């Protein structure tokens, strides 16, 4: 099995629960106020990325127990009825088991440790703030401005993703994917990978203003009220 790239994905927490099925209880965990980890995914420049490479490989939470405090903050699950460890287990089985061919990622501990290290190394919130791009309910940002800020900082082409939501008239900034080679040196993400094609996006704030409401509301309810849909 031969890999040429790894994709490291971070998601913007306020957009995760927007337009999620009403059958699923989704909310931002307490204390989460940043870009969070989605995963570290080995892949190929031309072939479909491998998944679930060793289906019989077990996930042992005890092996990464010392990492749990960091994982809960940096790699949380937003679905209330699912244990966070189930999210980590899923990412390990789907992507981690494929990454074990690399000596630097050939165990659960190494895979999760490396992913956390990358999160600390690449602070998207700080990078965007340094370029006067702040979460807001009032202002839309040209997508090219966001891309240029990130590409200039990393000196490679990164992927910026967005999602359409029925109650918003602009797509929502949702995630950023950074590509690297097998030595974790940053490289341009392949043009074949899909990215946001919108002209402008909304970069939602983590904590909407709830002071104006007489009763507690969920994040989504506050945002819908903001846009006249609640």
């Amino acid at each position: 099995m031969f890999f040429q790239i790894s994709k490291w994905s971070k998601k913007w927490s306020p957009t995760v629960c927007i337009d999620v099925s009403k059958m699923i209880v989704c909310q931002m965990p307490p204390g989460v106020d940043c870009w969070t980890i989605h995963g570290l995914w080995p892949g190929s420049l031309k072939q479909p990325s491998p998944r679930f490479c060793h289906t019989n490989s077990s996930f042992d939470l005890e092996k990464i127990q010392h990492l749990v405090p960091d994982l809960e903050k940096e790699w949380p699950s937003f679905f209330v009825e699912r244990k966070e460890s189930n999210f980590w287990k899923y990412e390990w089985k789907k992507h981690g088991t494929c990454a074990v061919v690399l000596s630097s990622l050939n165990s659960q501990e190494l895979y999760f440790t490396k992913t956390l290290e990358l999160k600390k190394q690449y602070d998207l919130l700080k990078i965007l703030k340094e370029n006067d791009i702040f979460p807001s309910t009032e202002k839309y940002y040209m997508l090219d401005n966001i891309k240029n800020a990130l590409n200039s900082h990393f000196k490679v082409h990164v992927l910026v993703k967005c999602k359409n939501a029925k109650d918003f008239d602009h797509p929502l900034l949702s995630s950023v994917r950074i590509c690297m080679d097998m030595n974790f040196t940053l490289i341009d993400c392949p043009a074949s990978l899909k990215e946001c094609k919108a002209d402008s996006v909304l970069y939602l704030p983590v904590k909407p203003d709830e002071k104006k409401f007489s009763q507690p509301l969920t994040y989504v309810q506050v945002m819908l009220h903001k846009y006249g849909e609640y």
Side-chain angles (χ1 to χ4, degrees), residues 6 20 42 110-111 120 132 138-139 141 156 166-167:
S6 283
V20 170
L110 289 174
Y111 175 76
K120 294 176 182 178
D132 295 321
E138 305 290 344
K139 184 176 181 179
Y141 291 98
V156 294
K166 62 182 180 181
D167 297 304

Side-chain angles (χ1 to χ4, degrees), residues 7-33:
K7 289 175 287 183
W8 181 67
S9 180
K10 296 178 75 172
K11 54 191 178 184
W12 182 233
S13 50
T15 64
V16 174
C17 295
I18 302 293
D19 273 4
V20 170
S21 169
K22 293 182 179 179
M23 301 297 292
I24 299 174
V25 181
C26 181
Q27 67 181 33
M28 287 186 290
V32 173
D33 59 357

Side-chain angles (χ1 to χ4, degrees), residues 41-139:
W41 310 328
S44 169
L45 291 173
K46 296 182 179 180
Q47 302 299 323
S49 296
R51 299 177 177 181
F52 300 104
C53 295
H54 302 283
T55 55
N56 60 346
S57 177
S58 61
F59 173 81
D60 186 353
L61 184 60
E62 289 299 317
K63 292 182 178 179
I64 57 170
Q65 193 63 47
H66 60 294
L67 297 176
V68 166
D70 285 336
L71 290 170
E72 288 176 339
K73 179 181 178 181
E74 309 291 0
W75 202 336
S77 171
F78 290 77
F79 302 131
V80 175
E81 297 175 357
R82 301 176 189 175
K83 294 181 179 179
E84 286 181 326
S85 59
N86 286 346
F87 180 32
W88 306 330
K89 176 181 179 180
Y90 178 80
E91 288 295 311
W92 165 253
K93 283 189 165 288
K94 184 176 181 179
H95 301 289
T97 58
C98 299
V100 295
V101 296
L102 301 175
S103 59
S104 57
L105 299 174
N106 67 0
S107 70
Q108 269 186 217
E109 181 176 6
L110 289 174
Y111 175 76
F112 286 100
T113 297
K114 185 61 180 180
T115 308
L116 287 169
E117 287 177 357
L118 292 172
K119 168 65 168 62
K120 294 176 182 178
Q121 187 174 352
Y122 303 127
D123 188 342
L124 299 186
L125 190 65
K126 180 181 178 182
I127 295 168
L128 293 175
K129 284 182 177 180
E130 289 174 346
N131 287 271
D132 295 321
I133 299 172
F134 299 90
S136 172
T137 60
E138 305 290 344
K139 184 176 181 179

